[in-house]
Amino acid sequence: MAYKISDACISCGACAAECPVEAISEGDTQYQIDPDKCIDCGTCAETCPVGAPAQA
Ligand code: SF4
Ligand code: SF4
């Protein structure tokens, strides 16, 4: 299962810079994860200051 970013996201961009497969991009209202690219490494969840990314 891919990770998913909840609406707690404050769009700081930290996770996008750390994702090893560039699965995270800036969406219309907050950052989002492409489930087809995500390899489930958990780095975004560890990086996020507000705990927004979680396993879907
Ligand atoms: Fe990227 Fe890993 Fe987060 Fe998936 S779990 S979006 S691969 S940092
Ligand atoms: Fe949003 Fe967290 Fe990623 Fe920052 S690190 S853009 S708050 S999901």
Side-chain angles (χ1 to χ4, degrees):
M1 291 297 290
Y3 274 66
K4 194 172 181 354
I5 294 174
S6 79
D7 58 15
C9 174
I10 55 171
S11 295
C12 70
C15 58
E18 296 298 325
C19 178
V21 294
E22 297 181 359
I24 307 175
S25 60
E26 193 173 3
D28 290 338
T29 56
Q30 63 175 59
Y31 276 68
Q32 58 193 12
I33 294 172
D34 181 341
D36 294 328
K37 288 185 184 170
C38 177
I39 56 169
D40 247 357
C41 70
T43 302
C44 52
E46 290 167 18
T47 304
C48 181
V50 296
Q55 232 155 359

